[in-house]
Amino acid sequence: MRDVYIIGVGMTKFGELWDKSLRDLFVEASLQAIENADVDHIQSMYVGAMSAGLFVGQEHIASLLSDYLGNEGIPATHVESACASGGIAVRQGYIEVASGISDIVLAGGVEKMNDGADVTFALATASDQEYEAFHGVTFPGLYAMIARAHMEKYGTTREQLAEVAVKNHEHGLKNPNAQFQMAISRDTVMKSTMVADPLRLLDCSPVTDGAAAVIICSEDVAKKSGRPLVKLRASSQATDYLALHSRKDLASLPSVARAAKKAYKDADTKPEDIDVFEVHDCFTIAELVVIEELGIVERGKSGAAVEAGITRLGGKIPVNTSGGLKSKGHPVGATGTAQIIEIVEQLRGDAGDRQVTDARLGLAQNMGGSGGSCVIHILEGIS
Amino acid sequence: MRDVYIIGVGMTKFGELWDKSLRDLFVEASLQAIENADVDHIQSMYVGAMSAGLFVGQEHIASLLSDYLGNEGIPATHVESACASGGIAVRQGYIEVASGISDIVLAGGVEKMNDGADVTFALATASDQEYEAFHGVTFPGLYAMIARAHMEKYGTTREQLAEVAVKNHEHGLKNPNAQFQMAISRDTVMKSTMVADPLRLLDCSPVTDGAAAVIICSEDVAKKSGRPLVKLRASSQATDYLALHSRKDLASLPSVARAAKKAYKDADTKPEDIDVFEVHDCFTIAELVVIEELGIVERGKSGAAVEAGITRLGGKIPVNTSGGLKSKGHPVGATGTAQIIEIVEQLRGDAGDRQVTDARLGLAQNMGGSGGSCVIHILEGIS
Amino acid sequence: MIVPKYTREIPQRFRLEAEKCTKCGYIAFPPRLICPECGQKSFQMIQLQPEGKILTYTIIHVAADAFSTQTPFAVAIIETKEGARMTAQVVDCTLEKIETGKDVKLMLRCIQREGKAGILQYGYKAILSR
Amino acid sequence: MIVPKYTREIPQRFRLEAEKCTKCGYIAFPPRLICPECGQKSFQMIQLQPEGKILTYTIIHVAADAFSTQTPFAVAIIETKEGARMTAQVVDCTLEKIETGKDVKLMLRCIQREGKAGILQYGYKAILSR
Ligand SMILES: [Zn+2]
Ligand SMILES: [Zn+2]
């Protein structure tokens, strides 16, 4: 297996982009990534999307997008693992370059959610349709049940959940691509509309259109490109029972721990060595459980850690400097790729007002559904 | 890159399987493949499906299926390229084993089409939703336009189209897993209900439930397994303009020629050396154009070749000994994997009444939509 | 068109049929072909007692279109006495009464209308035991 | 909810706006960000003449639900004088009159109703020139 690098990144603004279609979004992000990498061609591509079928009635999207990206007939594959699709796309690109089959691969993700579909129904198809969604439970509802379990088991408070949203909006304020560039108070979160008790509207990531893409390549191509070198030190993936009710501990997300263990091992590193984290905060409770599973904080202590400001930009362990899904927006298929872009920009020193000083190692954690799948990448900036 | 083998195959019967759900189908085929390979674990899996979202309201299916296959949290990825999804799944498994990341990977496909969805709508999402399906054109309609173009350009006749169906039903009669185990006459085809002029009901593959899976592994694992050795000599993939109207020659399928050129080169072989072909006959016209693109017959001469019996079992170049999509059935996501299974069985000498004498090299060609994507595998039986 | 799906699911949805792994005792609801805990393929059919307790729950205020006229409604994860787990609505009580740990009984009720013809789909719902 | 999509597509569906590659002359309909023939990103907007000819066609007898009341209807691939290609219905004639090579004019017509509110979607359809 060969070493693998990321030499180009591109993304659209995230938001309600009424004037852009799915193909417009993906092509815009991809052309940006190609330009950023300064390459003149790609040899194949992977597209992550959760459900262009349910959101816009379009399947076969990898072929469509390769066509609109200036069709040269290259292999183009759509991968899906619900909200983890964008991370999986990067992982497939990683495997293809590592194998030696290709030297330059584009991997990205896209979702066009604001085009008239029943978004709550579409998102719930990430759960077990026959034994969860059938009974009317929604995607926020599943995380609400995790939240209640975590609160009852560890004493995590409603205020601590709100602090995750406050922090991530504070970060998103500094991100020009974020959907919500506005600060919010703890009080605003706790008074926002109830969505699935105990989760309120400002505990939830928004409905977003957007796309993100990266250029993955061999060491040879990376060195010739003259671009800053960011190495993919690990790319790991794990699954779990799809249905939340099947899992022994409802206050945990075992697929995250499983993928993390493999990633730390492959990268020969540990949580303490990582300078910056992007994690999958589709709901405030998700960020809390994930930082426990990643080993950033002790189990059950995540609420207190966030309240103490440890995971804030400038804190000891900055988490979601991009604003996270919460403030940056969550076009489900694009999210995993966009997280990796934030890490690349941090490692390149290109993160502007969001820059973590001397960031050398970064981790991006992306998951599907209520944790039925998880994909983790560890990246290293090589100067 | 390492050499890659297939050591296990499994599939459900294809048909209208009212009593089985999507998860039942995939797990049944997969357990069969695992048993057939005689392995005690798999390290990761790929699932091809066109649209479990539109057919049964379920996304995140790779996680669901890994769970029901006896969840050990392994990486599980859903890949999609419309009707080519099952072939793409095998290709991703091939890449993962070739890279050295895994030694034993399960790759399969599934589709549950008979569960109440608007199948014509769902299939048309393989075309350009905004510029083809929007205008009411169906999937049979797109191939009907290819058929008319081929008939007007080369003089291909309505009777020659019918001969493809007659031949494939003749083959399917010998396949216990086929949906339609019945012979049909040229006359029956030509008098069947019109679907999209000039294509009639018996020019079209049926609406099918089914699943298929294979076990892909390294040379080391293959040799230790004691199973017959079938080597993946080539795995190639190509795309084209998604919309039929964008292609210069409407009587051709350039993605097939593109993938074939690469596959023949990688396998260091040529059409004349191949003993048995499985091709994507979603419609009778598709088989005709595909055998031209594969170089089996000269361009424009496919109708005459089929009429002359060249591609019949016992003929010079047997095509679709399984019965093809036409008679075996076409659960879209499973088809590409099932084609590969037919080739494996031929190369193992396990094809029973359908056996091609001394088959050593076989080719499986699987495509998506109206040819927007194509994936080809060349396999060799090693005795 | 969806009648076959409906019929297929009767054993689980109407009769609460589960399977018990003959090796490790894992309760599979719905039934499975292979045990996720020990990898064996031998199961014994059991019928679940329609009784269990709430492990966690939520009150849904924003629902998919098919459920939008029912909001707010409660959904819980329930563990039956045998150890089977399921997601189900908790009905027939003021929502404030619902708490983790409370006992429930499972009842057959209409869940939703499905498909263009709006065919009624039935299944289990939970009610508080007292 | 789908009004924005509708508005977004007006330039192509209503006004037949295409783009011509300033390097190789490729006509992109709908407009693209990059030329599929030469890879350049510079285009000039052109308005297509609503005239073309039929390259191939079919008569649809089995349609998706949204079109099922219209069967049988004709769909053709049409090439405009500028060389733009599109798929469109051929209407206002007996279906037997339709042939490859015949000239057509493109007209603005209602195509389908979309979404739960059944909003009318408009777009181009072809009629035979004589
Ligand atoms: Zn067991
Ligand atoms: Zn050009």
Side-chain angles (χ1 to χ4, degrees), chain A residues 58-218:
Chain A
Q58 179 75 66
E59 300 288 1
H60 211 184
I61 59 167
S63 177
L64 172 71
L65 296 172
S66 141
D67 172 355
Y68 273 77
L69 200 47
N71 166 52
E72 294 167 2
I74 60 169
T77 300
H78 166 216
V79 295
E80 180 267 326
S81 190
C83 330
S85 302
I88 301 280
V90 173
R91 184 165 187 269
Q92 293 306 129
Y94 165 85
I95 295 173
E96 184 164 325
V97 172
S99 76
I101 287 180
S102 297
D103 296 319
I104 314 176
V105 175
L106 183 142
V110 62
E111 212 79 57
K112 177 71 193 175
M113 299 174 75
N114 290 293
D115 238 4
D118 180 351
V119 172
T120 303
F121 170 79
L123 290 176
T125 66
S127 72
D128 187 325
Q129 179 58 231
E130 298 182 27
Y131 294 93
E132 293 186 301
F134 177 84
H135 294 280
V137 71
T138 58
F139 193 45
L142 292 166
Y143 277 96
M145 292 198 287
I146 296 174
R148 188 175 308 278
H150 202 270
M151 291 163 89
E152 295 183 350
K153 186 165 183 180
Y154 300 114
T156 303
T157 65
R158 200 28 280 204
E159 288 73 15
Q160 290 169 343
L161 291 174
E163 284 299 335
V164 175
V166 171
K167 167 182 75 74
N168 288 350
H169 274 260
E170 205 177 291
H171 295 172
L173 193 57
K174 302 172 196 254
N175 185 348
N177 285 325
Q179 181 164 5
F180 297 131
Q181 293 173 55
M182 60 174 189
I184 54 172
S185 70
R186 185 200 276 199
D187 206 46
T188 317
V189 180
M190 294 190 48
K191 284 185 179 151
S192 61
T193 311
M194 191 67 85
V195 172
D197 187 42
L199 299 182
R200 294 174 176 271
L201 188 64
L202 290 176
D203 287 294
C204 309
S205 54
V207 172
T208 311
D209 304 326
V214 299
I215 303 296
I216 300 169
C217 67
S218 63

Side-chain angles (χ1 to χ4, degrees), chain B residues 73-333:
Chain B
I74 60 170
T77 300
H78 167 217
V79 295
E80 180 269 328
S81 190
C83 329
S85 304
I88 300 280
V90 174
R91 185 165 187 269
Q92 294 306 129
Y94 164 85
I95 295 173
E96 185 165 325
V97 172
S99 76
I101 287 181
S102 297
D103 295 321
I104 314 177
V105 175
L106 182 142
V110 61
E111 213 78 57
K112 177 71 194 172
M113 300 173 76
N114 289 293
D115 239 3
D118 179 352
V119 173
T120 303
F121 170 78
L123 290 176
T125 64
S127 72
D128 187 324
Q129 179 58 230
E130 297 181 27
Y131 294 93
E132 293 185 303
F134 177 85
H135 294 279
V137 71
T138 59
F139 193 44
L142 292 166
Y143 277 96
M145 293 199 284
I146 296 175
R148 187 175 309 277
H150 202 270
M151 292 164 89
E152 294 184 348
K153 186 163 181 179
Y154 300 115
T156 303
T157 66
R158 201 26 284 207
E159 288 75 11
Q160 291 169 341
L161 291 174
E163 284 299 337
V164 175
V166 171
K167 168 183 73 73
N168 289 350
H169 275 260
E170 206 176 290
H171 295 171
L173 194 54
K174 302 169 197 262
N175 185 350
N177 284 326
Q179 180 164 7
F180 297 132
Q181 294 174 54
M182 63 174 187
I184 53 172
S185 70
R186 183 199 276 197
D187 208 44
T188 316
V189 181
M190 295 187 49
K191 283 182 180 154
S192 61
T193 311
M194 192 66 87
V195 172
D197 189 42
L199 298 182
R200 293 173 177 271
L201 188 63
L202 290 175
D203 288 294
C204 308
S205 53
V207 173
T208 311
D209 303 327
V214 299
I215 303 295
I216 301 170
C217 67
S218 63
E219 184 160 29
D220 208 38
V221 171
K223 291 195 165 154
K224 280 185 191 144
S225 74
R227 302 292 301 147
L229 292 180
V230 176
K231 187 173 175 174
L232 273 164
R233 284 272 296 266
S235 175
S236 72
Q237 182 184 353
T239 52
D240 194 6
Y241 288 108
L242 186 74
L244 175 62
H245 59 236
S246 299
R247 301 183 203 145
K248 287 195 184 80
D249 178 2
L250 299 172
S252 71
L253 290 165
S255 66
V256 181
R258 208 170 275 143
K261 189 177 167 194
K262 180 85 165 64
Y264 290 134
K265 179 166 170 273
D266 288 354
D268 191 20
T269 185
K270 49 191 189 305
E272 306 85 88
D273 300 331
I274 311 276
D275 302 305
V276 56
F277 290 86
E278 284 286 299
V279 309
H280 197 92
D281 60 322
C282 46
F283 301 94
T284 48
I285 180 64
E287 178 163 326
L288 294 185
V289 180
V290 166
I291 63 175
E292 296 176 6
E293 300 289 359
L294 290 176
I296 302 179
V297 300
E298 241 179 281
R299 192 165 293 279
K301 300 285 170 58
S302 56
V306 171
E307 213 164 21
I310 290 169
T311 55
R312 183 169 281 140
L313 187 55
K316 200 175 128 218
I317 309 158
V319 172
N320 281 332
T321 53
S322 70
L325 286 51
K326 181 67 204 74
S327 151
K328 185 179 52 186
H330 183 25
V332 283

